[in-house]
Each structure stands twice: as structure tokens, then as C-alpha cells.
């Protein structure tokens, strides 16, 4: 039985381990944290959103970013300080504008495949993750924003996404708890929401019955590649207090799959490849609904507010997740109060619920300049990648895991 090492136990790493195990591979997952899904897969917006498949490579996005640079509470924030990695990424982002429609349609295709596969996995393995199949409602406050969205909607529908326009009255019918004024919206009835952390942890536990092994608390220090095998040398991470720091751990395998999130850039460089993932920070708040009034007034239908660039998910009866913003500030994981406050203000403006028990979080999205995930073999025939999903890791992971697993099976059996 061939052995594959998967680096990273976030949503892409665990779904990949699952698919590889189903194909009969012996799988070992390595992660520097002590538990699965402790970084970007911990507290994202929760949306399984094919309706959010539009890539960001547009001139209008660049113009908005320049306009917002002086506003600390803007949905998109760029630290202008010079950094070679950041500016090379931005240059490639601009170069990808010409592929905007092609990449958007491909993302829709992947999202629809992923949605189907994730539902299959959840049902087969009985993973509980607060799944809500109530659709996603995209709301617009102005005629200008709504008219721009019509072109996007036409393109998404061209990609076979079922999505239709709704009036202000229909918005309130779909989600009666909304208390603001809206010009119009679009509704995707087949999209869904769920707790990414609960799903990833739950699936990781299920994979063990298929023989998947997890080595937590390890940092990858070196990878030796040969025609016959891969040797991965690890050191206990700063979180690992149980193993001696001066005794490297060596693991041998037939292939290595990088699902390392924002760490994929450095891992790829170690392996002789260039995977230009850049960390784009996003923020969220999880509001614990501790009173009956808040439970009744928090929405169950998932929302995406275009003007604020904010998304929401209801995670069971007593939790409400609100997320948004994009911050280009390197590998900084600080939770800034001036970035959290707009999320709280948005909730207070749109719903009659208490935000007293709001827990803030920040995570780094692993984004490629063209906004497309990297699902490929590296330069070396025993190196593979499933990374760079950006803000759509939860949405796309079930499809990209199946794709890369089939790719590995085909190449290793050749």
C-alpha cells in the first residue's frame, strides 16, 4: 500500500486525507498545531457559497481598494509598506484581470461539484456541523450596486448556478428578521452554511477508521526527494511540549501533498516550486445568542451584504457568525478592534439582537493572485499541491480533494 504524507489538517488537508484513504492509500497528516482546523478553518464565514464564486480580478476592485486605503474600517485594506512577496502577488493579480470571466466560470463549476460531494460525505459519515440548507441571500442597498450585480448574476447562471433576482418584499419574506432597507437582491436556494471547524474535526475523527494517522505538533523542517520516496524531517512545534526539541522526527512516504494554507508558499519553495500564495486576513465574530429575543431575531438564511462585504451564517440555535474584510498585511494575525467594530455595527444596524457576547477572530486566507486553487503535481513527480483556495476553501475543498486524490492515484500507479 502506497503511503502519502499530507501537510496541513485544515479543511483541504482533512478532505484530501479522506479521499486518499478511500482510494486505499496509507495516509499520515502532519500539522504544527495540536488539533485539526486551528487556523483558517477555525471560524470563517460558514458559507458553502457557489454564489460567491466571482473572482476579485476586476478593475473596479482595484479602484475600490485604492479609494479605501485611507479608511481603517474599509472592507479592503492594504498596508502599502514594501514587501517583495506582496507586490509580486499584486502584479500577478492585475495580470489576471483578463481571465476574470474564465476563472469565475471555472470556480462555479468547482463549487457545484464540491457542494454535491460535501453533502455526500456528510451523509455517509454522519458528520454533525450545523448544516443549514436554506440558501444564500445576496442583498443590495443601492440601484447602482444592484445593476452591477445583474451582470455578475448572468455570468454565474451561465455557469449553471441556480440563482434569481428578488424584490425588497421578497427579501423580507425569505428572511423576516432583516430590519434594514434594501433595493433588491439575488437568492441562491441550493447553497448552504455550516461550521467548518466542526466539520473538519468531525471528518478527521471519521478518517481514522480508514487508517489515517495524525501527527500533531510538528513543523516540517526539510524534505528529501528521490525517484523512489519522500523523506520528511520534522521538529516539534512551539505548541508541542511532549517531544524533545533536539530530536528530529523522520517520516518516509511515496508522495507528499501540500495543503499548508498560507504556509504553502514556504513549503513549495522548500520543494523547488513556486506557489504564490499570499495571506489575506479576514475577521469574524461569533455571537452567542444567550437570550430568547436574540435567538428569535437572528437570521437562519445566510446573507451576503454587497456594500459592507459581510457574510453571515446561523450555526445552530445559539450561535450567529458574521464575517468579512480583506486585509493585506503579511502574516500578521492580530485581532484589531477597528476591524471588528464594523462587523458589530453591521449586526446592530440590521437586526434586533444582542451583541454583548460576540467573540472576535482573525484568520489568514491562502490566496493565489488569480483567485484559483492550486491543484497540481509539482516539478518533482512525488510532490503534489491542494492549496490556495482563498476565501472559498470551505466551498471548494470537497471537489479539489477528490481531484488531487485521483491525480495522485494516476501518477503513482503510472
Amino acid at each position: 500500500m502506497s503511503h502519502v504524507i499530507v501537510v496541513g489538517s485544515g479543511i483541504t488537508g482533512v478532505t484530501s486525507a479522506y479521499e486518499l484513504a478511500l482510494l486505499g492509500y496509507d495516509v499520515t497528516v502532519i500539522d504544527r498545531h495540536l488539533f485539526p482546523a486551528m487556523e483558517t478553518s477555525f471560524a470563517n464565514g460558514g458559507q458553502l457559497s457557489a454564489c460567491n464564486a466571482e473572482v476579485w480580478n476586476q478593475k473596479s476592485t482595484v479602484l475600490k481598494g485604492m479609494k479605501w486605503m485611507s479608511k481603517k474600517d474599509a472592507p479592503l485594506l492594504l498596508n502599502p509598506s514594501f514587501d517583495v512577496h506582496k507586490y509580486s502577488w499584486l502584479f500577478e493579480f492585475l495580470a489576471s484581470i483578463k481571465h476574470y470571466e474564465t476563472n469565475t466560470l471555472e470556480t462555479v463549476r468547482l463549487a457545484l461539484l464540491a457542494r454535491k460531494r460535501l453533502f455526500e460525505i456528510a451523509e455517509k459519515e454522519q458528520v454533525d456541523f450545523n448544516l443549514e440548507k436554506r440558501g444564500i441571500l445576496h442583498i443590495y442597498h443601492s440601484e447602482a450596486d444592484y445593476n452591477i450585480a445583474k451582470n455578475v448574476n448572468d455570468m454565474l447562471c451561465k455557469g449553471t448556478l441556480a440563482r434569481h433576482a428578488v424584490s425588497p418584499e421578497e427579501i423580507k419574506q425569505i428572511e423576516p428578521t432583516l430590519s434594514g432597507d434594501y433595493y433588491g437582491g439575488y437568492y441562491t436556494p441550493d447553497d448552504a452554511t455550516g461550521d467548518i471547524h466542526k466539520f473538519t474535526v468531525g471528518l478527521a475523527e471519521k478518517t481514522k477508521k480508514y487508517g489515517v494517522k495524525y501527527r500533531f505538533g510538528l513543523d516540517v523542517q526539510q524534505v528529501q526527494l528521490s525517484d523512489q520516496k519522500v523523506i520528511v524531517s520534522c521538529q516539534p512545534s512551539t505548541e508541542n511540549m511532549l517531544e524533545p526539541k533536539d530530536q528530529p522526527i523522520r517520516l518516509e512516504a511515496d508522495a507528499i501533498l501540500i495543503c499548508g494554507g498560507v504556509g504553502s508558499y514556504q513549503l513549495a519553495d522548500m520543494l523547488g516550486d513556486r506557489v504564490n500564495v499570499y495571506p489575506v486576513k479576514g475577521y469574524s465574530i461569533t455571537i452567542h445568542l444567550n437570550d430568547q429575543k436574540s435567538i428569535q431575531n437572528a437570521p437562519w438564511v445566510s446573507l451576503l451584504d454587497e456594500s459592507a462585504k459581510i457574510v453571515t451564517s446561523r450555526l445552530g440555535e445559539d450561535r450567529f457568525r458574521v464575517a468579512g474584510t480583506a486585509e493585506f498585511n503579511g502574516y500578521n494575525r492580530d485581532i484589531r478592534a477597528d476591524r471588528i467594530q464594523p462587523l458589530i455595527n453591521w449586526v446592530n444596524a440590521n437586526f434586533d439582537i444582542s451583541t454583548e457576547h460576540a467573540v472576535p477572530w482573525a484568520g489568514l486566507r491562502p490566496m493565489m493572485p488569480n483567485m484559483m486553487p492550486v491543484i497540481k503535481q509539482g516539478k518533482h513527480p512525488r510532490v503534489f499541491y491542494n492549496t490556495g483556495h482563498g476565501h472559498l476553501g470551505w466551498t471548494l475543498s470537497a471537489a479539489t480533494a477528490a481531484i488531487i486524490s485521483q491525480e495522485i492515484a494516476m501518477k503513482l500507479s503510472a
Side-chain angles (χ1 to χ4, degrees):
M1 183 189 300
S2 295
H3 181 208
V4 179
I5 289 174
V6 177
V7 180
S9 67
I11 184 63
T12 55
V14 171
T15 50
S16 296
Y18 176 75
E19 296 290 356
L20 285 165
L22 291 184
L23 292 174
Y25 286 95
D26 182 17
V27 183
T28 300
V29 181
I30 301 172
D31 198 288
R32 66 189 184 91
H33 295 293
L34 301 181
F35 309 97
M38 294 305 292
E39 291 214 5
T40 314
S41 298
F42 188 77
N44 76 347
Q47 289 188 332
L48 294 159
S49 52
C51 67
N52 201 19
E54 180 194 14
V55 298
W56 298 359
N57 307 83
Q58 281 201 89
K59 291 178 182 177
S60 59
T61 304
V62 176
L63 293 173
K64 285 180 181 178
M66 294 172 65
K67 174 183 170 184
W68 286 334
M69 278 182 67
S70 60
K71 296 178 62 178
K72 288 185 177 181
D73 61 350
L76 189 151
L77 188 66
L78 171 67
N79 183 338
S81 63
F82 183 75
D83 173 77
V84 173
H85 184 194
K86 177 170 62 185
Y87 280 92
S88 73
W89 190 97
L90 289 170
F91 179 80
E92 290 182 35
F93 177 91
L94 295 173
S96 297
I97 289 175
K98 60 187 176 184
H99 302 301
Y100 161 75
E101 182 171 349
T102 300
N103 288 345
T104 296
L105 291 174
E106 174 61 11
T107 305
V108 174
R109 186 187 74 84
L110 287 172
L112 294 175
L113 289 173
R115 188 170 68 190
K116 181 175 182 291
R117 181 59 182 150
L118 188 135
F119 291 166
E120 290 172 352
I121 294 170
E123 184 175 355
K124 177 185 175 184
E125 302 299 341
Q126 291 296 292
V127 181
D128 175 22
F129 61 106
N130 300 123
L131 174 64
E132 292 294 336
K133 295 182 179 181
R134 299 177 188 245
I136 294 178
L137 178 61
H138 202 145
I139 55 177
Y140 301 87
H141 298 266
S142 71
E143 182 178 4
D145 283 344
Y146 182 80
N147 289 338
I148 291 171
K150 183 183 184 305
N151 294 329
V152 176
N153 184 70
D154 290 345
M155 182 170 50
L156 295 176
C157 293
K158 181 181 174 182
T160 72
L161 179 68
R163 189 172 187 254
H164 61 268
V166 289
S167 67
E169 294 74 26
E170 289 172 318
I171 286 175
K172 297 295 179 70
Q173 291 171 5
I174 293 168
E175 184 43 69
T177 64
L178 280 165
S179 59
D181 293 321
Y182 313 101
Y183 181 84
Y186 286 95
Y187 182 52
T188 313
D190 298 324
D191 272 348
T193 56
D195 187 325
I196 186 174
H197 184 258
K198 285 183 71 173
F199 179 87
T200 308
V201 171
L203 184 61
E205 188 61 32
K206 300 290 185 180
T207 62
K208 294 177 183 178
K209 71 182 180 184
Y210 298 106
V212 177
K213 296 176 286 294
Y214 290 85
R215 299 295 303 268
F216 292 115
L218 295 181
D219 273 321
V220 175
Q221 297 292 315
Q222 184 182 26
V223 181
Q224 296 171 262
L225 302 170
S226 71
D227 292 340
Q228 289 76 35
K229 61 184 177 181
V230 173
I231 300 175
V232 181
S233 298
C234 304
Q235 290 275 8
S237 70
T238 54
E239 297 179 25
N240 190 341
M241 298 291 104
L242 299 179
E243 299 184 65
K245 303 293 182 187
D246 58 349
Q247 295 183 15
I249 297 162
R250 286 163 56 91
L251 301 171
E252 289 191 14
D254 298 283
I256 184 170
L257 173 60
I258 303 301
C259 303
V262 295
S264 300
Y265 179 79
Q266 292 80 11
L267 289 164
D269 185 63
M270 184 188 301
L271 294 163
D273 294 309
R274 184 174 185 271
V275 176
N276 198 16
V277 167
Y278 188 81
V280 180
K281 190 194 293 186
Y283 292 84
S284 77
I285 54 174
T286 303
I287 301 170
H288 292 268
L289 308 171
N290 291 348
D291 60 275
Q292 198 58 39
K293 177 183 174 184
S294 295
I295 289 173
Q296 290 176 351
N297 292 339
W300 281 96
V301 172
S302 180
L303 306 169
L304 199 162
D305 186 327
E306 176 60 31
S307 62
K309 303 294 184 185
I310 283 175
V311 304
T312 76
S313 297
R314 184 71 175 264
L315 304 176
E317 185 178 72
D318 60 355
R319 289 186 302 150
F320 180 44
R321 176 75 48 77
V322 180
T325 77
E327 185 175 308
F328 291 78
N329 195 22
Y331 293 85
N332 181 295
R333 291 176 169 82
D334 293 346
I335 300 175
R336 292 172 46 175
D338 60 346
R339 305 294 280 160
I340 292 295
Q341 192 59 48
L343 301 179
I344 294 173
N345 292 346
W346 183 88
V347 174
N348 290 332
N350 288 279
F351 303 99
D352 185 15
I353 67 175
S354 171
T355 54
E356 179 182 2
H357 302 285
V359 179
W361 174 82
L364 302 180
R365 308 179 185 101
M367 267 184 186
M368 291 294 291
N370 63 357
M371 312 298 291
M372 301 299 291
V374 179
I375 324 160
K376 68 174 187 178
Q377 185 178 45
K379 290 178 183 176
H380 193 279
R382 296 186 180 274
V383 173
F384 299 86
Y385 296 91
N386 181 20
T387 189
H389 296 64
H391 65 300
L392 293 176
W394 186 208
T395 296
L396 301 179
S397 58
T400 64
I403 291 168
I404 198 62
S405 299
Q406 293 291 339
E407 174 84 357
I408 291 171
M410 183 177 68
K411 294 297 174 64
L412 291 187
S413 62

